[in-house]
Amino acid sequence: MAPQQQTMFRSADMSMVQLYISNEIGRECVNALGELGLVQFRDLNSEVSAFQRTFTQEIRRLDNVERQLRYFYTQMEKSNIPLRRLDLDAETIAPPTTTEIDELSERSQSLEQRIFQLNDSYETLKKREVELTEWRWVLREAGGFFDRAHGNVEEIRASTEDDDAPLLQDVEHNNQAADVERSFSGMNIGFVAGVINRDRVAAFERILWRTLRGNLYMNQSEIPEPLVDPATNESINKNVFVIFAHGKEILAKIRKISESMGAEIYSVDENTDLRRDQMHEVNARLNDVQNVLQNTQQTLEAELTQIAQSLAAWMILITKEKAAYQTLNLFSFDRQRRTLIAEAWCPTNDLPRIRTTLQDVTNRAGLSVPSIINEIRTNKTPPTYLKTNKFTEAFQTIINAYGTATYQEINPALPAIVTFPFLFAVMFGDLGHALIMLLASLAMIYWEKPLKKVSFELFAMIYYGRYIALVMAIFSVFTGLIYNDVFSKSMTLFDSQWEWDVPEGWKQGQPLTAKLKGDYRYPFGIDWMWHGSDNDLLFSNSYKMKMSIILGWVHMTYSLCLAYLNARHFKKPIDIWGNFVPGMIFFQSIFGYLVICIVYKWSVDWLAIEKQPPSLLNMLIYMFLQPGTIDQELYKGQSTVQVILLLLAVIQVPILLFLKPFYLRWEHNRARAKGYRGIGEHSRVSALDEDDGDGHIEGNGRPSVDTDDGEGVAMIAHGGDDDEEHEEFEFSEELIHQVIHTIEFCLNCVSHTASYLRLWALSLAHQQLSVVLWDMTLAGALTKGGVVGVIMIVAMFYLWFFLSCAVLICMEGCSAMLHSLRLQWVEAQSKYAEFAGHMFTPFSFLTMLEEDEGLAEFRG
Amino acid sequence: MAKGYSIFIGLVIVAAFCLAAWFLSPKGENQTTWRSSLIIAFISCYLMWFITFLAQLHPLIAPRRGDIKEGYQFE
């Protein structure tokens, strides 16, 4: 069977393959497949916990390297070093070799140590620096205290009249330090000097006062500049304090209290000279420390700058390597642990590519043992793989946002490429707005590359949908022309089919009614004579309402037909006869008939045949309420036709209800009677498996080995309850399911048709809004003359243009898009799409790197 | 110029477009996408034009307005 060309119509044919890869080249193979990105591996060790898997050691090691790299990154952020980001589009990084990874891990190990050391010494130095600065402040401030204290001492001493004091010194009065010292020690007064956090000063003071019962003399002053706390890198305001007290014990107590309050105590000499020396020393040391600090900082920055050049690349290498090992962890071994065995889903069409890729890796490694890739048969549901390109990607995303199509089901995104933007355009029809939108989307497509880098989320979203916007804008141009609306004004592209019927003696102010110019009709769109007329809305409402019904009917009929194609593809004739045909007859006999009536009524010249045109809405209502009676006849024999159609529709309901469940029961019983046990026929979702329909299944539901199949290989995969297909046939369940389906279908025929009236409502709203906007802004300005007129026109133009863009294009466009999305998701897709698939998520480095949140700061 | 039978002329033109879209779509992986999109687009556009044209073919009401200025009544 030659594989068919892959198209967007259905999801790609998938094959379950088994890979036998020699243990030595397992890593290389996984890397190559990761670059290819077409293989989704199954977990063959699901019962093994993450810690017990084969390559946990390697992953741990890589985790460590990743942690180190992240550590570098935080260091870089700390010192504001820019990181050279990696542009994934421009640069590709070949999968690393083992030695490269080893080197990288060693290198990052040593780098981490080095940076750690540098950081460590930097912090120590910083701490030293802060200490020295504090000390300097203490020395400087304490000087002042001592000078003041000195005066006190003189007083104190004078009052105590110490007899031992030499008389001469009393006379000298020269403030000598020796003198003070002697005087302090003589009086047995000691002091404690230090620095304390400014917030704690009050508490500190209070505690000291209470514990020492006031036996102290405390001096303090604020340090004007904030100091840096080396531990937290925050700046703190601190105060210098000097406490004088009497007695050793009290001083010891003060020290203890200060320490417990987090104050730093520094030794200060009483002697002014010594203090000066201390000051010099401290200054010198501070200088040294600052020099060293600067050097350390520079070295650290140089080191980090160098790392910044290649950090992103390293990060990506490590991420890739980790992903490869995580994938390898999904594999199982043969008994001798020499061959890796993997099971994977891959697109059937791409099998040759995968095969050659593996071959290449084996050849490059120079191994004599070939890597084997084997297609195996399975009754597991294959994943849905919908290949997209730049253009279809956004459309597919819209559909996938609703659900994942069942494997091989018709891809709803294919018709959505046109129907979604077209229904949008029906609501958005205004040539002017459409052209602005067209220009915007064309600009986004023209500057595709540079704009891709914009990370502003709202814009990124619009940018992602640029092709949708393009198609929407193109259709809006068309519908704008049809509606003959340009910013709420009309264009006189062709001759009107109307002319004013001017009676004799007509004066300005009297209403005029138009008459037709023979059998000429306005060729394209709505006649511009309607624009601005008094009964414009009367005409356009009737027109747009009918158009909504017709478009809705076409859309839903088309979607129903896709259900037929689906049923035929999955070879389920009962879905055709039990669902599609009765459903179609039901729908057409009511709404198809309505549409035919609408078109027929339009095509009849009611004035010429001098008959009263019937109201179609009443006709439809009375078709149900009083079948057989007609108010005003649309055509001959109408009542008979309507009764027949109604009967036809009513008969479809029991057919819809019962045909499918009873048929399924009959089929099931027949199979049972023939001796088949277990279920294999209906639960097969894949149509591919139909050709070996006799694939038997063991009683416990495990897929058995298909021995008579040439390709049949014993599956290592244990039953895996996760995606087991088989369910016992239950008639009641089937019946309930069908009852729900029938009720839903019949009610939906009505409600969905009504739902399409949103096309009318939104297009009317859009048109009326733009009329109002014009009248409120520019229309007023255009009637003014002179300078005022000029200024007003300019100002009003900006107002009008801005509001047009913001309200009519952005907001209205957004709402029209949401409504169109709903019509696509609910009204159309509910007719044919099942959405019971699971997405194909291949192991691909590219998508992995693009989607990894942790790598966001490393990507360009 | 444009009379009732224009509907069928339009139909022929659009059918020709659809045929052209079917045969001229670029070959390859995206042929189905091209064909389906173009044909649905042509049919949708035709439908819209057809509905608009038909709605004005035998109009039941005529435009009426009261704010026509002197001298513009023959436009």
Side-chain angles (χ1 to χ4, degrees):
Chain A
M1 188 183 81
Q4 276 186 336
Q5 177 87 42
Q6 253 179 49
T7 65
M8 204 190 161
F9 188 47
R10 294 180 192 284
S11 65
D13 289 330
M14 300 302 275
S15 302
M16 168 80 97
V17 292
Q18 221 165 21
L19 302 160
Y20 294 82
I21 304 165
S22 176
N23 204 356
E24 296 99 61
I25 55 162
R27 211 182 124 274
E28 284 73 14
C29 283
V30 168
N31 272 331
L33 291 177
E35 294 294 331
L36 200 63
L38 285 169
V39 185
Q40 178 185 350
F41 292 102
R42 290 188 63 233
D43 192 355
L44 299 181
N45 307 314
S46 47
E47 82 281 9
V48 182
S49 80
F51 301 106
Q52 292 168 326
R53 297 197 176 196
T54 324
F55 296 99
T56 314
Q57 261 339 53
E58 279 82 354
I59 292 177
R60 282 224 185 112
R61 197 181 73 154
L62 293 169
D63 270 337
N64 189 40
V65 179
E66 197 186 330
R67 182 193 55 76
Q68 286 163 345
L69 295 182
R70 289 206 183 275
Y71 172 70
F72 299 154
Y73 182 65
T74 46
Q75 291 301 319
M76 275 173 220
E77 274 193 325
K78 227 178 180 176
S79 37
N80 285 328
I81 295 169
L83 179 79
R84 195 175 74 92
R85 282 153 185 265
L86 208 66
D87 187 352
L88 287 175
D89 299 331
E91 294 162 86
T92 48
I93 297 178
T97 60
T98 340
T99 44
E100 267 174 8
I101 292 290
D102 286 343
E103 268 171 31
L104 180 57
S105 107
E106 265 168 41
R107 197 158 163 208
S108 65
Q109 186 71 39
S110 63
L111 275 174
E112 189 201 18
Q113 269 169 13
R114 176 142 175 73
I115 286 181
F116 199 74
Q117 273 173 4
L118 281 172
N119 258 328
D120 212 33
S121 54
Y122 180 80
E123 258 160 43
T124 327
L125 286 168
K126 192 83 194 163
K127 206 171 160 198
R128 190 90 202 100
E129 190 204 3
V130 171
E131 271 172 19
L132 285 170
T133 331
E134 281 180 1
W135 195 3
R136 200 175 61 180
W137 276 108
V138 171
L139 284 170
R140 197 180 288 170
E141 296 294 326
F145 299 148
F146 280 120
D147 291 345
R148 265 175 279 151
H150 196 244
N152 290 351
V153 170
E154 297 291 304
E155 278 170 36
I156 299 162
R157 210 180 51 156
S159 68
T160 50
E161 288 182 334
D162 197 339
D163 293 339
D164 297 340
L167 288 166
L168 274 175
Q169 278 189 346
D170 215 85
V171 188
E172 274 173 13
H173 265 272
N174 57 356
N175 273 1
Q176 271 189 359
D179 163 41
V180 176
E181 189 185 8
R182 211 169 301 145
S183 56
F184 275 164
S185 54
M187 286 167 63
N188 205 5
I189 286 178
F191 65 90
V192 176
V195 173
I196 191 169
N197 209 330
R198 194 169 294 167
D199 312 336
R200 295 199 184 150
V201 166
F204 181 53
E205 226 171 331
R206 208 175 308 133
I207 289 171
L208 279 174
W209 193 258
R210 284 187 186 154
T211 40
L212 303 178
R213 297 194 180 79
N215 284 324
L216 80 159
Y217 176 65
M218 183 171 171
N219 252 319
Q220 53 164 328
S221 75
E222 295 183 352
I223 301 176
E225 64 182 46
L227 297 163
V228 178
D229 184 357
T232 58
N233 242 348
E234 283 166 15
S235 58
I236 318 168
N237 288 312
K238 284 190 170 180
N239 277 14
V240 172
F241 64 89
V242 181
I243 303 163
F244 298 93
H246 188 78
K248 270 188 184 152
E249 276 160 35
I250 290 181
L251 285 176
K253 236 184 207 171
I254 293 174
R255 277 208 185 89
K256 270 186 191 157
I257 291 171
S258 334
E259 268 160 29
S260 70
M261 292 293 287
E264 298 286 331
I265 291 170
Y266 294 98
S267 77
V268 181
D269 220 290
E270 277 182 63
N271 191 311
T272 322
D273 286 337
L274 280 177
R275 224 168 44 225
R276 196 175 302 129
D277 288 349
Q278 248 178 345
M279 191 79 166
H280 280 305
E281 200 193 321
V282 166
N283 275 339
R285 272 160 75 185
L286 195 59
N287 245 340
D288 287 348
V289 167
Q290 272 166 350
N291 275 339
V292 178
L293 203 59
Q294 212 171 3
N295 279 339
T296 319
Q297 174 89 10
Q298 266 170 6
T299 330
L300 183 65
E301 271 176 18
E303 200 80 52
L304 284 175
T305 321
Q306 211 185 356
I307 295 175
Q309 288 302 308
S310 34
L311 186 65
W314 292 351
M315 199 70 195
I316 281 164
L317 280 188
I318 291 296
T319 317
K320 274 187 174 181
E321 185 74 1
K322 223 171 92 181
Y325 276 118
Q326 268 159 359
T327 310
L328 279 172
N329 263 345
L330 304 177
F331 294 9
S332 86
F333 281 102
D334 71 337
R335 280 204 196 90
Q336 290 96 40
R337 297 186 76 79
R338 276 166 57 198
T339 316
L340 284 164
I341 304 173
E343 277 184 25
W345 286 112
C346 61
T348 313
N349 277 348
D350 289 315
L351 263 176
R353 267 176 80 195
I354 296 164
R355 205 162 267 153
T356 44
T357 311
L358 285 181
Q359 196 64 47
D360 281 354
V361 176
T362 320
N363 289 345
R364 231 179 297 139
L367 278 185
S368 53
V369 194
S371 304
I372 300 165
I373 178 164
N374 237 334
E375 212 176 323
I376 51 175
R377 307 228 176 228
T378 175
N379 59 348
K380 288 184 167 51
T381 322
T384 310
Y385 175 44
L386 298 157
K387 208 178 167 193
T388 55
N389 56 31
K390 209 163 60 172
F391 177 75
T392 56
E393 188 189 11
F395 290 101
Q396 191 67 59
T397 309
I398 287 182
I399 303 302
N400 291 349
Y402 185 79
T404 307
T406 309
Y407 175 65
Q408 294 267 299
E409 186 173 63
I410 287 171
N411 181 6
L414 184 64
I417 290 176
V418 177
T419 54
F420 169 69
F422 185 79
L423 291 177
F424 165 86
V426 172
M427 295 182 263
F428 193 74
D430 186 300
L431 183 62
H433 301 152
L435 282 175
I436 292 178
M437 196 169 154
L438 184 66
L439 288 178
S441 57
L442 282 176
M444 275 192 288
I445 290 165
Y446 186 78
W447 285 289
E448 204 159 47
K449 285 235 168 77
L451 285 175
K452 199 181 174 189
K453 302 284 170 247
V454 178
S455 56
F456 177 55
E457 206 174 333
L458 200 64
F459 178 80
M461 222 165 69
I462 299 171
Y463 171 81
Y464 188 77
R466 62 198 179 279
Y467 286 102
I468 300 185
L470 175 75
V471 184
M472 290 197 304
I474 291 171
F475 281 126
S476 299
V477 168
F478 177 79
T479 52
L481 286 171
I482 288 274
Y483 290 153
N484 209 344
D485 269 334
V486 195
F487 297 117
S488 83
K489 298 284 132 191
S490 64
M491 294 168 294
T492 52
L493 293 177
F494 304 98
D495 271 346
S496 174
Q497 69 184 43
W498 301 97
E499 59 190 347
W500 295 114
D501 188 10
V502 189
E504 298 250 344
W506 174 80
K507 286 204 185 65
Q508 186 171 327
Q510 287 172 340
L512 274 181
T513 310
K515 65 169 192 259
L516 284 168
K517 293 178 185 166
D519 60 355
Y520 165 77
R521 292 293 176 270
Y522 197 71
F524 191 85
I526 292 183
D527 199 316
W528 46 266
M529 278 283 268
W530 282 108
H531 190 91
S533 62
D534 297 339
N535 51 0
D536 176 25
L537 276 184
L538 212 62
F539 170 74
S540 70
N541 273 349
S542 146
Y543 152 70
K544 281 181 178 171
M545 198 154 75
K546 283 169 181 166
M547 183 176 67
S548 308
I549 297 291
I550 296 176
L551 288 179
W553 170 78
V554 170
H555 194 199
M556 285 191 287
T557 307
Y558 174 73
S559 303
L560 256 177
C561 291
L562 295 180
Y564 165 74
L565 291 181
N566 263 341
R568 219 178 62 167
H569 180 80
F570 292 125
K571 301 214 173 74
K572 287 187 199 159
I574 187 57
D575 272 348
I576 299 178
W577 298 110
N579 271 338
F580 168 72
V581 172
M584 191 58 129
I585 294 175
F586 181 86
F587 183 58
Q588 297 308 335
S589 60
I590 298 171
F591 293 101
Y593 174 65
L594 176 67
V595 168
I596 289 170
C597 287
I598 291 174
V599 173
Y600 177 74
K601 189 185 159 186
W602 270 339
S603 63
V604 172
D605 193 351
W606 294 96
L607 301 177
I609 61 172
E610 291 177 344
K611 256 173 135 182
Q612 196 61 27
S615 156
L616 292 179
L617 200 59
N618 286 340
M619 182 204 85
L620 193 70
I621 292 169
Y622 284 116
M623 180 170 158
F624 294 105
L625 293 183
Q626 301 165 340
T629 49
I630 303 287
D631 240 8
Q632 284 157 333
E633 210 171 48
L634 187 69
Y635 56 90
K636 266 192 187 149
Q638 191 189 3
S639 58
T640 333
V641 171
Q642 284 187 5
V643 170
I644 291 170
L645 284 176
L646 192 62
L647 280 177
L648 212 57
V650 171
I651 290 167
Q652 302 315 312
V653 178
I655 297 177
L656 260 175
L657 266 177
F658 300 118
L659 185 59
K660 190 181 171 188
F662 279 100
Y663 172 79
L664 286 180
R665 193 175 73 156
W666 172 76
E667 198 182 45
H668 174 74
N669 288 343
R670 192 185 56 166
R672 287 245 150 180
K674 280 186 181 169
Y676 286 111
R677 287 294 174 268
I679 309 295
E681 306 160 58
H682 311 303
S683 48
R684 255 173 212 280
V685 174
S686 159
L688 289 177
D689 296 337
E690 213 65 44
D691 51 355
D692 59 3
D694 56 352
H696 35 261
I697 302 300
E698 280 169 25
N700 56 2
R702 284 193 181 191
S704 72
V705 182
D706 207 348
T707 40
D708 46 18
D709 191 335
E711 285 176 313
V713 182
M715 283 175 63
I716 323 163
H718 16 270
D721 309 304
D722 47 347
D723 43 4
E724 209 56 49
E725 305 296 337
H726 311 292
E727 287 164 24
E728 272 301 313
F729 176 79
E730 279 245 16
F731 177 67
S732 57
E733 223 168 79
E734 206 53 58
L735 189 65
I736 289 170
H737 182 80
Q738 191 60 28
V739 167
I740 293 171
H741 174 82
T742 307
I743 296 174
E744 225 174 36
F745 182 85
C746 296
L747 291 183
N748 281 352
C749 276
V750 182
S751 74
H752 286 178
T753 309
S755 181
Y756 276 92
L757 287 175
R758 73 185 69 228
L759 295 176
W760 159 50
L762 266 106
S763 78
L764 184 72
H766 187 87
Q767 196 236 344
Q768 289 302 306
L769 256 178
S770 54
V771 169
V772 168
L773 183 68
W774 177 274
D775 287 345
M776 301 271 270
T777 54
L778 269 179
L782 285 171
T783 53
K784 297 273 190 311
V787 182
V788 184
V790 171
I791 294 168
M792 265 192 61
I793 282 180
V794 171
M796 282 303 172
F797 172 77
Y798 282 112
L799 186 68
W800 169 81
F801 186 75
F802 173 75
L803 285 176
S804 278
C805 287
V807 178
L808 289 170
I809 297 178
C810 294
M811 272 172 58
E812 267 285 298
C814 205
S815 108
M817 201 189 79
L818 290 178
H819 281 280
S820 174
L821 194 63
R822 188 218 136 92
L823 290 179
Q824 175 62 37
W825 277 354
V826 180
E827 273 73 20
Q829 284 174 19
S830 69
K831 300 281 183 295
Y832 63 99
E834 194 183 26
F835 284 112
H838 54 107
M839 198 54 91
F840 177 57
T841 44
F843 170 62
S844 154
F845 284 139
L846 195 66
T847 44
M848 183 190 74
L849 293 175
E850 268 171 9
E851 278 159 19
D852 195 334
E853 288 295 320
L855 287 176
E857 55 261 25
F858 299 102
R859 282 190 298 253
Chain B
M1 169 181 149
K3 308 248 168 71
Y5 54 79
S6 307
I7 289 167
F8 301 103
I9 298 172
L11 187 64
V12 169
I13 292 170
V14 165
F17 270 45
C18 288
L19 280 176
W22 181 267
F23 289 109
L24 299 180
S25 284
K27 293 230 163 23
E29 212 171 29
N30 296 320
Q31 195 181 28
T32 315
T33 316
W34 274 110
R35 282 179 176 172
S36 124
S37 305
L38 287 176
I39 292 174
I40 299 177
F42 289 139
I43 291 175
S44 311
C45 290
Y46 171 72
L47 208 62
M48 185 113 179
W49 172 81
F50 162 78
I51 292 167
T52 314
F53 190 87
L54 212 59
Q56 298 179 92
L57 185 61
H58 299 300
L60 294 171
I61 53 171
R64 178 168 44 82
R65 63 190 295 174
D67 56 350
I68 298 167
K69 288 185 185 138
E70 194 83 58
Y72 287 94
Q73 71 267 41
F74 299 110
E75 290 266 322

